[in-house]
Amino acid sequence: MTLRRLPETLVNRIAAGEVIERPAAAVKELVENALDAGAKQIDVVLRDGGRTFISVADDGQGMSGPEIELALERHATSKLPGDDLVNIATLGFRGEALPSIGAVSRLSLASRVRGGQDGAQAWSLSVEGGRRGALTPAAQAPGTRIEVRDLFFATPARLKFLKTTRTEQGYVLDAMQRLAMAHPRVGFTLFDGTRKLLHLPSTQGALNYTRLARLGAVMARDFAANALPIEAEREGVKLSGYIGLPTLNRGNARHQYLFVNGRPVRDKLLHGAVRGAYHDFLAHDRHALLALFLDLPAEAVDVNVHPAKAEVRFRDPGLIRGLIVGACRHALAEAGHRASSSVAQAALGAFRPGHNPGVAQTWRARAGGVAPRGLAETSLAGQAPLPALAAAPGAAADQAPENLDADYPLGAARAQVHETYVVAQTADGIVIVDQHAAHERLVYEDMKQQMAAQGVTRQALLMPEVVELEPEAAARLSERSEELAALGLVLEAFGPGAVVVREVPALLGDLDVQGLVRDLADELAEIGQSLALKERLQEVCGTLACHGSVRAGRRLNVDEMNALLRQMEATPHSGQCNHGRPTYVELKLADIERLFGRR
Ligand SMILES: Nc1ncnc2c1ncn2[C@@H]1O[C@H](COP(=O)(O)OP(=O)(O)O)[C@@H](O)[C@H]1O
Ligand SMILES: [Mg+2]
């Protein structure tokens, strides 16, 4: 056996295996260094997804000749003034990135100190597979430029694991976007030789303004217009950032970002907390867009968990989770009936003549034939108002609609079309409400409140109703009768294959008891034995609410329609149904005028 100390080059290659997984990791480390150096502008160029060439140029504080030599040595860093790992305020601190990259590529570094005594002279140094060249004078503006050629040429095994140029490029873009979101005042560009993959000019101004502008530029143009600000603090932990309205959602969770003390991190805690916060508003396969920034004392978080510093460990994960869920829920409740403007944009796209001629024509033809008031009036014919839709005060039909326009964001009801949609006039546009989706949401929110306060108010049926079912389904229902009673539904077994229903939730009004009980039995089969119904409240309430809601196809009179609009305004989360679909769209007059070429 020969026990020996490994040569530094080999040690650095081993370290590089952990720190520099792929070109994107090299770019991330170099951009972090530029940010730590106080750069205002960072420009990155790639070739072949970073495989053959990466260049990162910054206008930060730069390095002197001796500093350059030291920077390329292992565990040399300017970022840990004290000899402990507690107060880490910079992105770097391990002193591993430069020597690691130098060990597995051909690296050249040129730098010139900004301002300082040595400021006049720029120096450069090259490293090839860990072998260092000599320090030589160079031409370079204040700041630093690092070029990395043939990454992993010295570690062919790693080279083999790289994916296609396009995929590697995607990783680089993602890494830069994350850093750019955390540093909105810094300008970033990414070129792949021919195309600009990223162009984010630095923005000046208050942090909130620059941050939202930057988030919008990176995530989606819609985001800035449909984001709710987050601001919360607990036990010295500050949470800020922006979360998207539920109606702005995506099929994956890619656009959910977490930053801890300015460092982009990936943490399962975030996705779990976000799922909790949006649970009521999004279907299982839809995901919100958001970017949250945690600022906490350095001792409350360990950033030294992972060589690439992509993960962190919180001292009190429960506190962080609670803070995120609470702040998001609060912001969503404050948003009230707001639905995302992208909904209206999509609708306008569909209306626009030429976009889909069929749709546009139908719309025009119908619009010509509809007498808005008349339609609403005919719908009155001999129907009692729905119990759950008693007219709100001040929303009477004889009130001048002009006042309604001005005073209420959802406007004055003008018509019901196809017995499904309520059309209302607002101060500066029109609103189209999906009456069923909206009412379902109102009933659901109402039930949740009643549950929280004193339990759902029940109403005895005049005639108890017997519902015939499969024996297993009947058994499932009667086993859960106590939990169902808390939700306002009182039933008991009635022989082997039936239940008898005696009371129903009062706020559901007139409902189809048979259909409701059958759907509930299915719901229970899906939920299974293990979960308490309270934990699946959304699904169960949803099923109940659905049966008690104004069905599509139900005619509403003007009072009922206005009552619906007023209740929506007064109810949190009413802008989306229980599945994250919008309950209404708003079209501004300006947009409508544009449709008709009046502007
Ligand atoms: N772009 C840069 N501008 C100024 N100094 C830099 C730059 N990149 C690296 N350095 C210096 O080189 C040192 C080593 O960098 P690195 O290997 O990434 O380790 P770390 O960032 O963990 O300190 C840094 O601490 C810093 O002093
Ligand atoms: Mg570094």
Side-chain angles (χ1 to χ4, degrees):
M1 171 178 97
T2 325
L3 181 61
R4 63 167 185 140
R5 240 177 246 290
L6 297 174
E8 179 160 305
T9 303
L10 193 52
V11 173
N12 283 335
R13 278 185 197 161
I14 292 169
E18 293 186 315
V19 184
I20 310 298
E21 212 194 329
R22 54 174 11 111
V27 172
K28 170 183 161 293
E29 292 292 337
L30 296 175
V31 171
E32 285 185 354
N33 281 347
L35 288 168
D36 282 343
K40 295 274 164 289
Q41 178 67 38
I42 301 174
D43 300 304
V44 179
V45 180
L46 293 183
R47 239 174 269 140
D48 303 316
R51 195 181 321 230
T52 54
F53 182 79
I54 298 168
S55 141
V56 178
D58 70 58
D59 58 357
Q61 69 189 32
M63 283 176 275
S64 66
E67 282 169 345
I68 293 176
E69 295 205 284
L70 203 54
L72 284 161
E73 253 165 53
R74 191 168 162 72
H75 303 313
T77 180
S78 55
K79 301 173 192 173
L80 286 180
D83 282 341
D84 61 50
L85 284 174
V86 175
N87 281 304
I88 295 168
T90 47
L91 293 166
F93 60 88
R94 296 170 60 108
E96 283 186 319
L98 288 184
S100 297
I101 298 171
V104 297
S105 71
R106 301 179 227 277
L107 179 149
S108 73
L109 188 163
S111 193
R112 179 167 147 199
V113 172
R114 178 170 294 281
Q117 283 183 333
D118 192 19
Q121 186 55 59
W123 296 93
S124 81
L125 187 69
S126 298
V127 189
E128 208 176 305
R131 261 177 296 278
R132 196 114 51 103
L135 196 64
T136 49
Q140 159 79 22
T144 304
R145 170 189 302 273
I146 295 180
E147 294 181 349
V148 178
R149 291 187 170 73
D150 305 324
L151 186 65
F152 301 132
F153 88 92
T155 48
R158 179 54 61 89
L159 196 55
K160 276 197 213 121
F161 281 97
L162 295 188
K163 306 243 168 69
T164 62
T165 294
R166 212 204 172 103
T167 304
E168 295 299 337
Q169 220 172 52
Y171 285 121
V172 172
L173 185 62
D174 184 64
M176 279 191 70
Q177 284 176 330
R178 283 172 193 268
L179 287 167
M181 282 192 262
H183 298 88
R185 294 203 177 105
V186 179
F188 292 84
T189 64
L190 173 64
F191 268 102
D192 78 342
T194 49
R195 278 183 320 137
K196 226 178 217 179
L197 301 176
L198 191 65
H199 178 65
L200 298 168
S202 75
T203 40
Q204 299 310 315
L207 176 64
N208 275 348
Y209 165 76
T210 55
R211 181 181 271 175
L212 186 56
R214 176 59 60 86
L215 293 178
V218 171
M219 289 159 79
R221 247 182 304 138
D222 297 357
F223 185 75
N226 295 293
L228 307 169
I230 294 288
E231 209 70 65
E233 181 166 2
R234 205 186 291 166
E235 295 175 35
V237 179
K238 277 203 202 93
L239 178 70
S240 59
Y242 291 89
I243 67 172
L245 288 166
T247 36
L248 181 76
N249 55 54
R250 294 279 191 279
N252 59 49
R254 206 171 75 78
H255 285 311
Q256 297 184 351
Y257 300 96
L258 180 65
F259 301 85
V260 176
N261 291 345
R263 185 189 302 282
V265 299
R266 290 172 200 276
D267 201 304
K268 280 200 220 78
L269 179 144
L270 174 73
H271 300 296
V274 167
R275 209 171 302 124
Y278 280 84
H279 177 70
D280 270 4
F281 320 116
L282 283 176
H284 293 305
D285 56 347
R286 302 303 296 176
H287 301 269
L289 284 69
L290 50 92
L292 293 175
F293 298 80
L294 274 172
D295 284 291
L296 62 178
E299 69 269 10
V301 58
D302 186 359
V303 294
N304 189 29
V305 183
H306 190 265
K309 298 164 289 179
E311 286 167 27
V312 294
R313 198 161 289 151
F314 297 109
R315 205 181 52 196
D316 186 353
L319 171 80
I320 307 292
R321 195 192 134 87
L323 190 62
I324 293 178
V325 175
C328 291
R329 286 218 177 121
H330 179 76
L332 290 168
E334 295 272 284
H337 66 271
R338 237 179 107 190
S340 97
S341 71
S342 58
V343 170
Q345 288 310 316
L348 279 171
F351 284 153
R352 201 153 279 145
H355 170 88
N356 180 342
V359 172
Q361 237 168 25
T362 321
W363 170 253
R364 261 187 258 119
R366 294 256 165 80
V370 167
R373 279 306 273 194
L375 202 134
E377 274 152 19
T378 56
S379 71
L380 272 167
Q383 275 195 18
L386 291 165
L389 267 189
D398 55 9
Q399 178 160 358
E402 283 69 27
N403 290 347
L404 281 173
D405 297 356
D407 294 349
Y408 297 108
L410 294 180
R414 286 302 168 84
Q416 185 194 31
V417 291
H418 295 286
E419 278 100 42
T420 302
Y421 302 102
V422 173
V423 180
Q425 177 175 333
T426 63
D428 60 351
I430 64 171
V431 158
I432 305 170
V433 176
D434 177 334
Q435 64 186 44
H436 175 67
H439 195 234
E440 184 178 314
R441 189 71 202 183
L442 294 178
V443 170
Y444 171 53
E445 290 293 335
D446 213 350
M447 288 191 78
K448 265 201 320 196
Q449 271 197 351
Q450 287 195 15
M451 286 282 300
Q454 79 281 356
V456 177
T457 315
R458 303 191 294 245
Q459 187 185 359
L461 292 175
L462 286 177
M463 294 275 287
E465 200 157 336
V466 175
V467 185
E468 309 268 353
L469 295 152
E470 309 267 287
E472 310 84 70
R476 262 197 304 274
L477 283 164
S478 43
E479 268 163 31
R480 296 249 179 171
S481 61
E482 231 168 88
E483 285 173 273
L484 289 171
L487 293 167
L489 188 72
V490 177
L491 52 74
E492 63 203 52
F494 191 76
V499 295
V500 56
V501 179
R502 301 193 183 279
E503 295 176 50
V504 295
L507 50 79
L508 295 189
D510 246 351
L511 80 146
D512 161 24
V513 175
Q514 301 277 336
L516 168 67
V517 170
R518 289 212 175 84
D519 281 1
L520 260 183
D522 291 345
E523 190 75 50
L524 291 183
E526 244 170 69
I527 291 175
Q529 287 296 314
S530 53
L531 273 177
L533 285 194
K534 270 231 294 277
E535 288 167 48
R536 296 297 290 266
L537 197 60
Q538 186 195 340
E539 283 88 344
V540 177
C541 282
T543 304
L544 291 169
C546 183
H547 280 270
S549 305
V550 189
R551 289 286 176 154
R554 166 81 154 82
R555 287 203 169 171
L556 300 179
N557 65 35
V558 177
D559 287 350
E560 289 173 330
M561 290 192 278
N562 277 317
L564 180 67
L565 298 176
R566 302 294 80 80
Q567 280 187 26
M568 287 173 70
E569 286 159 357
T571 305
H573 317 306
S574 61
Q576 67 270 320
C577 78
N578 300 345
H579 315 288
R581 289 192 294 273
T583 53
Y584 74 92
V585 276
E586 180 176 17
L587 304 177
K588 296 285 184 201
L589 216 46
D591 290 323
I592 298 170
E593 284 172 352
R594 217 171 290 135
L595 274 181
F596 289 101
R598 283 164 167 265
R599 288 191 161 210

